[in-house]
Amino acid sequence: MKAERRRVLKRILTWTMASALAVTSVSLPTEMVRAEGEEITEHHYDDNGFCTDAGCTDIYEPAVCQVDEADHEYYEIGNAGQLYWFADYINASIDHAQTNAKLTEDIVVNEGVMTAETDPAEVRQWIPIGNYEFDAGDQRTIYAGVFDGQNHTISGLYYAKTTDAYGAYAGLFGYLDMVAGSSGSAYYIETVKNLGVVNSYFKLESETYSAQIGAICGYGGYFWNCYSENNVIHAVNNQEKTSTIYDYSAYAGGIVGCLWSGGMRNCFSANNTLTATVANAGNQHAANPLAGFVNSNYVKASSMPDNYYLAEETTNDGGRTAEQCETGEVAYLLNQGANDGEIIWHQTLGEDGDAHPVLDTAHGVVHLKEDGTYTNEHILDITPGKEATCTESGLTEGSKCTVCGEVVTEQTVIPATGHSFTNYVSNNDATCISPGTKTAQCDNGCGAKDTIEDETQPATGIHDFTGAYVSLGAEGHYQVCIWCGAAGEKVAHVYGNYVNKDSKNHTHICACGYSEDAEHEWNEGKVTSLATCAAKGEVVYNCRECSAVKREEIAINPQNHTGNTEIRNAKEATCTEAGYTGDIYCKDCGVKLADGKTIPETGHTYSKYVVRATTKKKGSSGEKCSKCGAVRNVKTIHYAETLNLAKTSYTYNGKVKKPAVTVKDSEGNKISSSYYTVSYSNNKNVGKATVKVTFKGNYTGKLTSSFTIVPKTASISKITAQSRGFTVKWKKQSTQTSGYQIQYSTNSKFKGKTTKHVVISKNSTISKKIGKLSAKKKYYVRIRIYKTVKVNGKSTRIYSDWSKAKTVKTKK
């Protein structure tokens, strides 16, 4: 009872500490427990995190709760005891499933390599993180957090178990899956990354359900940059029932037993012993260096990129040979799939190097050389240096590895050199009050200049009166010295050209600003437009000294008509009336300049005309004046209305048929054939022939009519009486013939209900038996030929005349 109470109290305190650590982010180096009636005792841990106190076989050093830069909590695990503590914490409650963790050291649980021969009593046994067993709240425990190995390994795990539980999952982790978010929606975060499991033993026997086991995990999840090496992994299912689905299966994987959902990326497996056995050979079982089973319905190929394992030959699913692993090829390939070019996988190459990729960052980085081989030497990208100038600092040449990003040669700053001025040249600019200067350009060639006093050129004391002008009014002006401003000698103004000032004067200005006005001097002027009977003229004067212009008007001249005239009162002569040429007037002033003359009438000019009649409208003929349109001798042309044929039906004889044509107008008068042409079509063979009349001369348009060409008349050659019927024979006629029609009746005129028809559709038939008639009855029989032709696009039968009727009396 005492031991049981101690275990219960240990579990409660473990949960309490986990909650406190998550809030305070402080690690407690010891755990204190008290059994009933005992004082509180302090636990002590060895370097591997296990309690060294007597009787404390399952007390572990707690992991340390920290907060990352994104304000997310996680546990730091630095020894085996903290790993076991973390497993207990996750398996205690489903509420802990999303707890994140990071390894800070390589962890060895049991020394040496775990095998089937390892004595379980001599080693510490492992319980998977997220073991899928029920917690205190009757919830199955899973792991749904992010476990970052930070390139460390876990070694010496030992797990051997036989179970009849509903689900059996084993590995470092048992069951990775999703949990519900606060909004009720599901989301995946279950991820194991940057972690290796080595030298471990896992064996799981299931008596009732599936057995799924992997070095990293038994079921599900996301696996990034994980590896498994030198592990023994056995999945055994002892259920003898048969299942064609997931039940009663056994899956063993170097990384994961069953990848039902999630994904795997940049993982590696080598030198593992994998077996998957089932009691019933018909049940599913598989062992694979990476994943024992992958559910392709949920896990697509895009979710499993860049995974490799050690194999005897290269395979499409990631198998690579020992030589490919040793040369560094696999390490390089694994890093190609890493995020943002991050170097996760390392390998020291060479005679004493690694046989395959490892996560240990102390090992070398693998680079691909241009010749396709691999090396630990950096592949350099040279950053050119920059020379320092007089005013700007420079940089030395640098280099950086294009693969791992390491800066091999760091650039250093070269200070600016500063200017150097030695070769000064005199500017020869000494003045009356100032000494001269001299200037030098920078010796470094940067283009900078420096100007200083030239000691060889003192002030001259000589004025330079080329400065500004100062006016003294009408007396003149003087100039000042450009250096000291002293006044120069007074001189007379020097004027420029005259410029226009106003209508009376122009002015000229001296350089000092003084101006002098004078009146314009006009030239003799030029007439630019003459005065006319209607408009004034203009004369323009120009000043001889400036650009001024003066304009003066010239009065109207009533006698100057410029020829701008127009005709008024004009009238053209017609066929019956005289005309007038019109009077000439000045258009400008309106004065009449000349009278017009009378133009005699022209008389009519007639020519013959015809308005042709159509088939619907009358026409006319006569004479018409080409000038005024007057007409005379008008006659009506009645429109063409009817087309009559001399004959409308012919019997086929192999010759062209052309019935005579008569055309009459709307008044019933015959139209002469000189006013039309006649054409025939389809007028030889059996069918409907067409006659077309095309008008000309006084008529226009067309009239059409048709006539029929029927087959030759057939004849009955023999009629034989039969019981309640008869057989009729006739002479075969194949030309222009489609078939025959037989008509029979008890009435000699083929009238009444007893009159019947029979159609024979083949022209090669020459007899027909008629039955089901009245016995001992006299029948009249006749025959005719038909041919099927197209009329207006429709199939139509054209019949010949009936043959002479023959009689027959049916038998009893």
Side-chain angles (χ1 to χ4, degrees):
M1 292 295 293
K2 183 176 181 180
E4 178 64 24
R5 286 197 300 272
R6 183 183 295 277
R7 282 193 294 272
V8 171
L9 184 56
K10 184 276 297 184
R11 179 72 70 180
I12 293 172
L13 288 177
T14 300
W15 295 344
T16 304
M17 289 176 60
S19 299
L21 290 171
V23 175
T24 61
S25 299
V26 176
S27 172
L28 297 180
T30 62
E31 182 185 70
M32 294 178 288
V33 300
R34 178 174 63 182
E36 184 177 355
E38 295 179 347
E39 293 183 359
I40 295 177
T41 60
E42 182 176 297
H43 287 281
H44 302 84
Y45 306 101
D46 61 17
D47 291 340
N48 213 16
F50 297 111
C51 182
T52 59
D53 298 331
C56 294
T57 58
D58 54 355
I59 301 299
Y60 316 116
E61 181 182 352
V64 180
C65 185
Q66 300 286 9
V67 178
D68 63 19
E69 295 178 355
D71 203 27
H72 295 152
E73 293 182 349
Y74 67 94
Y75 280 98
E76 283 187 348
I77 300 172
N79 56 43
Q82 290 180 332
L83 181 66
Y84 274 72
W85 180 92
F86 186 75
D88 275 359
Y89 178 72
I90 296 300
N91 294 336
S93 173
I94 187 64
D95 295 335
H96 302 164
Q98 285 185 275
T99 305
N100 299 332
K102 295 181 181 181
L103 290 189
T104 59
E105 300 289 342
D106 291 341
I107 292 177
V108 178
V109 176
N110 296 295
E111 295 291 342
V113 179
M114 301 295 101
T115 68
E117 287 71 34
T118 300
D119 184 356
E122 298 296 325
V123 295
R124 186 179 296 276
Q125 299 202 27
W126 174 248
I127 298 176
I129 302 170
N131 61 359
Y132 207 63
E133 295 182 2
F134 290 103
D135 63 10
D138 202 28
Q139 297 283 330
R140 289 191 181 274
T141 58
I142 64 173
Y143 185 67
V146 176
F147 193 98
D148 187 353
Q150 297 196 120
N151 291 45
H152 293 295
T153 61
I154 297 175
S155 174
L157 294 172
Y158 185 91
Y159 175 89
K161 184 177 181 180
T162 301
T163 180
D164 60 358
Y166 170 74
Y169 314 98
L172 173 62
F173 295 86
Y175 195 99
L176 269 65
D177 204 353
M178 61 184 178
V179 297
S182 59
S183 64
S185 61
Y187 59 93
Y188 286 97
I189 61 170
E190 64 283 3
T191 300
V192 180
K193 62 182 181 179
N194 309 323
L195 175 66
V197 173
V198 300
N199 301 332
S200 297
Y201 179 84
F202 302 95
K203 182 178 181 180
L204 176 62
E205 289 191 58
S206 175
E207 300 293 337
T208 59
Y209 196 58
S210 61
Q212 300 169 23
I213 188 167
I216 304 296
C217 182
Y219 175 94
Y222 291 89
F223 306 94
W224 301 346
N225 306 311
C226 294
Y227 83 95
S228 166
E229 181 185 11
N230 206 27
N231 299 303
V232 179
I233 304 170
H234 296 313
V236 181
N237 191 298
N238 294 324
Q239 176 59 258
E240 295 183 353
K241 293 181 180 180
T242 301
S243 173
T244 57
I245 55 174
Y246 184 68
D247 298 341
Y248 318 141
S249 60
Y251 300 124
I255 302 297
V256 58
C258 174
L259 194 60
W260 189 260
S261 60
M264 182 186 301
R265 187 176 74 191
N266 308 111
C267 292
F268 180 71
S269 172
N271 302 318
N272 294 308
T273 301
L274 300 160
T275 60
T277 60
V278 291
N280 187 326
N283 290 334
Q284 296 184 21
H285 58 286
N288 184 276
L290 295 170
F293 174 77
V294 178
N295 183 356
S296 59
N297 291 325
Y298 299 127
V299 182
K300 304 303 181 183
S302 59
S303 299
M304 296 190 65
D306 304 307
N307 300 296
Y308 302 94
Y309 62 89
L310 179 62
E312 293 183 358
E313 60 182 6
T314 303
T315 64
N316 291 331
D317 64 346
R320 294 295 185 270
T321 65
E323 181 182 359
Q324 289 174 298
C325 290
E326 187 174 357
T327 60
E329 175 184 341
V330 176
Y332 180 80
L333 292 174
L334 286 168
N335 281 326
Q336 295 310 295
N339 288 331
D340 301 324
E342 181 183 8
I343 301 300
I344 300 295
W345 292 91
H346 296 74
Q347 184 177 358
T348 300
L349 304 178
E351 184 175 349
D352 297 324
D354 301 314
H356 54 69
V358 296
L359 290 175
D360 191 346
T361 57
H363 294 239
V365 175
V366 177
H367 307 86
L368 176 63
K369 298 198 297 185
E370 291 185 357
D371 62 2
T373 61
Y374 301 90
T375 180
N376 286 138
E377 297 179 0
H378 292 295
I379 307 298
L380 298 180
D381 178 22
I382 304 299
T383 303
K386 175 186 175 184
E387 289 188 7
T389 67
C390 300
T391 57
E392 294 184 0
S393 60
L395 288 172
T396 60
E397 183 179 85
S399 63
K400 181 180 180 180
C401 181
T402 61
V403 179
C404 66
E406 179 181 340
V407 176
V408 178
T409 304
E410 194 156 348
Q411 290 184 289
T412 59
V413 176
I414 304 172
T417 62
H419 297 298
S420 174
F421 300 103
T422 58
N423 298 317
Y424 285 91
V425 177
S426 177
N427 294 318
N428 295 316
D429 55 354
T431 69
C432 57
I433 59 174
S434 300
T437 63
K438 57 184 178 180
T439 300
Q441 288 194 334
C442 180
D443 301 334
N444 298 327
C446 70
K449 294 181 179 181
D450 183 48
T451 299
I452 62 177
E453 182 177 327
D454 186 354
E455 64 279 0
T456 65
Q457 286 193 344
T460 63
I462 300 173
H463 296 295
D464 183 355
F465 295 110
T466 59
Y469 288 93
V470 178
S471 175
L472 296 175
E475 296 181 5
H477 60 239
Y478 64 86
Q479 284 183 276
V480 299
C481 176
I482 62 174
W483 306 116
C484 65
E489 181 183 358
K490 182 178 73 172
V491 295
H493 293 298
V494 178
Y495 295 104
N497 294 328
Y498 282 103
V499 294
N500 184 28
K501 182 178 182 180
D502 52 36
S503 60
K504 182 179 180 181
N505 299 313
H506 50 224
T507 187
H508 53 187
I509 303 172
C510 178
C512 68
Y514 180 79
S515 62
E516 183 181 60
D517 295 345
E519 289 188 359
H520 292 299
E521 296 183 16
W522 302 112
N523 64 5
E524 64 278 7
K526 181 178 180 180
V527 176
T528 57
S529 59
L530 294 173
T532 67
C533 60
K536 296 178 180 180
E538 183 185 62
V539 59
V540 176
Y541 300 91
N542 296 99
C543 178
R544 291 187 172 89
E545 298 295 337
C546 71
S547 60
V549 175
K550 181 175 69 171
R551 302 177 185 277
E552 293 182 355
E553 289 184 349
I554 302 174
I556 290 176
N557 181 1
Q559 304 303 318
N560 184 17
H561 302 290
T562 60
N564 191 14
T565 61
E566 63 181 356
I567 303 296
R568 299 180 186 178
N569 306 318
K571 178 183 176 183
E572 288 188 6
T574 67
C575 298
T576 57
E577 292 183 357
Y580 186 68
T581 60
D583 303 318
I584 300 174
Y585 284 81
C586 177
K587 195 173 182 180
D588 295 324
C589 64
V591 173
K592 183 178 181 180
L593 303 178
D595 293 326
K597 295 181 180 180
T598 299
I599 304 172
E601 61 183 40
T602 62
H604 294 296
T605 302
Y606 288 102
S607 61
K608 293 182 178 180
Y609 75 93
V610 175
V611 178
R612 296 197 291 174
T614 68
T615 57
K616 299 292 183 180
K617 188 176 180 181
K618 295 178 182 179
S620 63
S621 64
E623 292 178 315
K624 185 176 182 179
C625 179
S626 60
K627 293 184 289 186
C628 68
V631 294
R632 66 182 181 183
N633 302 324
V634 177
K635 295 181 180 179
T636 298
I637 304 173
H638 298 287
Y639 62 84
E641 185 176 39
T642 59
L643 168 60
N644 298 316
L645 303 180
K647 191 174 182 180
T648 59
S649 179
Y650 291 86
T651 298
Y652 173 77
N653 61 1
K655 297 181 180 181
V656 172
K657 306 296 185 291
K658 292 185 177 181
V661 172
T662 300
V663 181
K664 293 185 179 180
D665 63 21
S666 57
E667 295 296 314
N669 301 313
K670 182 177 178 180
I671 297 175
S672 171
S673 60
S674 63
Y675 290 113
Y676 58 82
T677 59
V678 183
S679 62
Y680 300 86
S681 59
N682 302 321
N683 59 330
K684 180 178 179 181
N685 295 327
V686 172
K688 286 288 186 180
T690 300
V691 180
K692 181 169 68 175
V693 170
T694 303
F695 290 101
K696 59 183 179 178
N698 291 347
Y699 300 86
T700 184
K702 298 175 182 178
L703 289 176
T704 59
S705 185
S706 63
F707 61 92
T708 304
I709 302 176
V710 301
K712 292 182 180 179
T713 304
S715 61
I716 297 174
S717 58
K718 184 178 181 181
I719 297 180
T720 304
Q722 294 180 352
S723 175
R724 302 177 68 85
F726 57 85
T727 298
V728 58
K729 292 185 177 181
W730 60 89
K731 185 177 180 181
K732 177 181 177 182
Q733 184 171 308
S734 58
T735 303
Q736 295 293 302
T737 301
S738 297
Y740 306 90
Q741 186 183 50
I742 298 173
Q743 188 180 49
Y744 58 92
S745 177
T746 59
N747 184 288
S748 62
K749 293 185 179 181
F750 295 92
K751 295 182 178 181
K753 295 182 179 180
T754 62
T755 303
K756 306 293 182 182
H757 296 83
V758 176
V759 175
I760 295 88
S761 59
K762 291 185 178 181
N763 62 7
S764 59
T765 303
I766 59 173
S767 66
K768 178 66 176 178
K769 181 178 180 181
I770 309 296
K772 297 181 181 181
L773 304 178
S774 299
K776 294 186 177 182
K777 190 74 173 178
K778 181 179 180 182
Y779 281 88
Y780 296 88
V781 183
R782 61 183 180 178
I783 189 171
R784 64 179 178 178
I785 296 172
Y786 75 85
K787 182 183 179 184
T788 303
V789 298
K790 291 284 187 180
V791 178
N792 296 327
K794 295 182 179 180
S795 296
T796 303
R797 290 179 180 175
I798 303 297
Y799 291 95
S800 69
D801 294 333
W802 288 107
S803 68
K804 291 182 179 180
K806 290 194 176 185
T807 60
V808 62
K809 187 175 183 181
T810 60
K811 296 181 179 181
K812 184 176 179 180

